[in-house]
Amino acid sequence: MAKNCISHVLLALLITAAICQAGFLPPVNYPVNPSSTSVVTGDFNRDGNLDLVVTRCGDAQCSTSAVVIVLLGQGNGKFSRGGQFVAGSPNTTPDTLASGDFNGDGTPDLAVVNNGVNQFGSVSILLGDGSGGFLAPVSYSVVGSTPVWPVVSDFNGDGNLDIAVLVTTTASVAVLLGKVTAPSVPLQTTMSALAYRGSRSQT
């Protein structure tokens, strides 16, 4: 009995030591242009490895349209530079990102939340092309200049992903209901927006 107790104590000490020693290797930095504010993961080129997409300025001086940039995963924790793609409509600045298969073709797409400059903010859908790239954005107004923090789920149970986003300037939550509209390749998707403020809803 005493030997078993000692064995259990030693095992517990070894497990504790292993937990205490857990940590991370030194970071590897991948340069991107200024004003990166959000990052999402997904297998955007469908090679079985997780990739990254970040928001950022279009150039080092932030003088062109904002973009998303793709970092392609190598499967060993390393990434290589992919393409960059326009993130939204003119005079908007991308703030946060979400990922989901919005058109049901098996390839993850992007929802980019854009802050408006002298106009309403928007949510832009960038459909993935399956090779690590994205089609031109299709933008939906959220009736407020500063939307933030999107969440993606099927809110109405129709099998299509929807998006909810906070709109800080109007103290509301904008819900965009998704609908796949064409059986083409790539499949297209549309969003219809609802704004929820307090106990009232607006279409």
Side-chain angles (χ1 to χ4, degrees):
M1 179 66 70
K3 183 180 291 185
N4 288 339
C5 290
I6 293 173
S7 298
H8 291 161
V9 170
L10 289 174
L11 179 59
L13 289 173
L14 288 172
I15 293 173
T16 302
I19 293 173
C20 291
Q21 292 172 3
F24 296 90
L25 297 175
V28 177
N29 288 2
Y30 296 88
V32 294
N33 285 348
S35 300
S36 297
T37 56
S38 186
V39 59
V40 295
T41 63
D43 183 6
F44 297 106
N45 60 352
R46 297 194 293 193
D47 65 351
N49 301 321
L50 284 177
D51 312 307
L52 299 174
V53 173
V54 300
T55 59
R56 66 171 197 162
C57 292
D59 58 33
Q61 292 73 41
C62 292
S63 60
T64 61
S65 298
V67 299
V68 293
I69 181 172
V70 181
L71 298 174
L72 297 173
Q74 305 302 301
N76 57 0
K78 297 181 179 180
F79 296 86
S80 62
R81 185 72 169 263
Q84 68 178 41
F85 305 88
V86 174
S89 54
N91 299 316
T92 61
T93 302
D95 183 61
T96 48
L97 288 169
S99 177
D101 182 7
F102 297 112
N103 60 352
D105 66 350
T107 297
D109 311 306
L110 293 178
V112 183
V113 177
N114 304 290
N115 292 336
V117 180
N118 297 321
Q119 64 180 0
F120 287 145
S122 64
V123 175
S124 296
I125 304 300
L126 282 68
L127 296 178
D129 64 9
S131 63
F134 296 93
L135 304 185
V138 177
S139 299
Y140 301 88
S141 174
V142 293
V143 193
S145 64
T146 314
V148 294
W149 303 123
V151 293
V152 174
S153 190
D154 181 6
F155 297 120
N156 58 353
D158 66 352
N160 299 316
L161 287 179
D162 312 308
I163 302 167
V165 59
L166 292 174
V167 186
T168 60
T169 47
T170 58
S172 65
V173 175
V175 177
L176 287 80
L177 299 178
K179 182 180 180 182
V180 176
T181 59
S184 57
V185 179
L187 296 174
Q188 299 300 305
T189 185
T190 61
M191 295 281 174
S192 58
L194 305 171
Y196 294 90
R197 185 180 300 109
S199 60
R200 299 182 301 162
S201 66
Q202 298 180 342
T203 57

